[in-house]
Amino acid sequence: MRQFTFLFFIGIIIISISSCRTDFEAIPSSGKLKFSKDTIYLDTVFSTISSSTYTLKIYNQSKNDINIPSIKLGKGLNSKYRMTVDGMQGNHGKSFDNVNLLAKDSIYIFIETTAESTDANPTDFLYTDQILFDGGANLQKVELVTLIQDAVFLYPKKQTDGTTETLPVGDKKIYGFFLDENDPVNGNELHFTNQKPYVIYGYAAVPSGKTVTFDPGSRVHFHAESGLLLSSNATLKINGIASTTEKLENEVIFEGDRLEPDFSNVPGQWGAIWLTDGSTNHKIDHLTIKNATIGLLIDNNNGSTVQIKNTQIYDCTNYGILAQTAKINGENLVINNAGLAGLACTYGGSYKFTHCTFNNNWSSSSQVAVIVNNYYIGATPEVKDLSLATFNNCIIYGSYSNEMLLSKKTGSLFEYQFNNCLLKFSDFSSNSLYQFDTDPTHYNAIIRNKDPKFLKVEFNKLNIDDTSAAFAKGNATYLLPMDILGNVRTLPPDLGAYQNKAFPK
């Protein structure tokens, strides 16, 4: 019995050892690997900024375990690409020897790049390489392609004491810097042209008494937690003009610095455009803001009116526009999707919006398209006069039953009026602020809960056609002759920022 127990124990050990083997008999690869892609496009990256990580899957469809003698980049150690193969780093991410692949199995290769514009082909700005599998008669290749954009980089600089430049904001300091009109490298940083895109790290501040100007077609990309700040007595001039193609070649565009298509509609990639208390005389025309935390943060602007025309603001984590005791005149303005509100006119102020489209389909029960109030909630609630809040020929819509919130506290003015507007609002009951049918002082020709039939809300296309409830429902008294795209409006005009157009079937 003792001998049987001993032999049984030895057998278990032998079985355990054989089952834990990590090596296997493999035959050399015969050049019949299969790949998930034959070309990896790493999308567009800025010079010197690392790309996202892209994936290639390699399949062994044979019945045999195989050994791949080598996997390497065609440009070797000089390649600007780098890889990991099945979790291995290899030789600086450039080459790998004797990679085993089980029968009917697969492994992953992860690819990244960091390249400069000087590395790219000067005619098409493409940087290319290949992943080479094996060699000789068994050689197989996967192409690598990346578009490299040269850019002007703006960021806080190191001080002589070794610290990094910061900006004073109240009693705090934030990561940022002042734009310099005589910068020794970039020249006039207060003039943004369309020659190259700009990439901003931290908050770029416009000094007091200075004006920052953006030419038609200029492109500005903000890194995470970055933005633009207008100091007291500083001025913002956005000089975009109507474009003739969907590339928006004449639009000024503010967005994040992640250029991959997967990031095109991801909210909260950067901070805000902050028009601080005391900044003045801002004029914004044909600007597109995408994927910010707050698109435009507008404080009391020294009593001057912020002119916003032909502007689009999309996919902001908190607000498209957050105004506090501000003065705004908005024309042909489109705001779509924000975590809290597309437009928030708070703590009083004066606001007039004509032919604007405010929509919110954010997946949160707390979202609305438009908020208007006359107070600020702090340690001690404060009220300010809302001297004007007028909406003419506008659309206020979204995915929830009530897309407009009016809220007032006594002790200050609360003047508001909606003329010829399409509103998404179901429950108004006895609240005196929402008497759409019986309060002509505040509401005239209101259409409620009728579908504007936007083209593709999920792609920020809020165009309408002649089947829309907003079609020909505007009042000519408030007519803007051109819509946001430069199309001539007919009479009676459509509501919102877009003149109707037939959609492709």
Side-chain angles (χ1 to χ4, degrees), residues 395-412:
I395 299 173
I396 299 174
Y397 205 77
S399 56
Y400 288 90
S401 57
N402 297 330
E403 286 293 346
M404 182 177 72
L405 175 62
L406 305 180
S407 183
K408 74 172 183 178
K409 292 189 180 298
T410 58
S412 68

Side-chain angles (χ1 to χ4, degrees), residues 155-167 173 175-176:
Y155 51 87
K157 297 177 176 62
K158 289 286 187 181
Q159 309 281 19
T160 54
D161 61 359
T163 60
T164 302
E165 205 174 349
T166 57
L167 292 172
K173 291 185 177 181
Y175 182 66

Side-chain angles (χ1 to χ4, degrees), residues 96 166 184 253 284 289 296 325 365 372-373 377 398 412 421 431 465:
F96 302 79
T166 57
I253 300 179
I284 299 171
I289 297 176
L296 286 168
T325 325
S365 59
V372 178
N373 70 41
I377 299 178
S412 68
C421 293
N431 191 318
D465 67 7

Side-chain angles (χ1 to χ4, degrees), residues 192 197-200 214 218-222 252-256:
F192 287 71
Y198 295 78
V199 182
I200 293 178
F214 294 83
S218 54
R219 302 289 190 259
V220 184
H221 300 265
F222 295 94
V252 176
I253 300 179
F254 292 169
E255 59 185 318

Side-chain angles (χ1 to χ4, degrees), residues 73-87:
L73 292 166
K75 293 180 180 178
L77 293 176
N78 294 322
S79 179
K80 300 300 179 179
Y81 294 100
R82 55 191 177 274
M83 306 182 292
T84 58
V85 176
D86 201 26

Side-chain angles (χ1 to χ4, degrees), residues 113-147:
T113 187
T114 306
E116 299 185 22
S117 57
T118 53
D119 298 316
N121 185 327
T123 59
D124 57 15
F125 307 105
L126 295 177
Y127 181 72
T128 62
D129 201 347
Q130 298 172 322
I131 305 177
L132 306 179
F133 298 84
D134 207 341
N138 295 328
L139 177 64
Q140 293 180 271
K141 303 176 182 179
V142 171
E143 304 292 332
L144 302 174
V145 181
T146 307
L147 177 64

